[in-house]
Amino acid sequence: TQNLIGKSLEAAIEYSQLMLNIVDLNQDLKTNDPELLAFAAARDFPERATCASLSWEKTRDFIQELST
């Protein structure tokens, strides 16, 4: 979440969605950033998908509320 500091609301929403896509088996990996790709390991454990995505879903939803 430190990567959200200083970002615009729109950029923070996009980043949150990127993180959700990284842990989602149904999405393509659209980053080469090794720091972010570390989270792709969650794809190997589908039963942990909620753990890996819940905080990012709530963060994205909160930021979307702020931007309206």
Side-chain angles (χ1 to χ4, degrees), residues 14-31:
E14 289 176 18
Y15 189 85
S16 298
Q17 189 59 53
L18 171 64
M19 292 301 295
L20 289 168
N21 291 347
I22 286 172
V23 299
D24 186 345
L25 279 171
N26 298 314
Q27 298 291 323
D28 292 330
L29 287 174
K30 295 187 178 177
T31 184

Side-chain angles (χ1 to χ4, degrees), residues 33-50:
D33 184 330
E35 186 175 300
L36 299 182
L37 286 175
F39 291 95
R43 291 169 173 245
D44 296 333
F45 304 96
E47 65 278 2
R48 304 289 291 174
T50 301

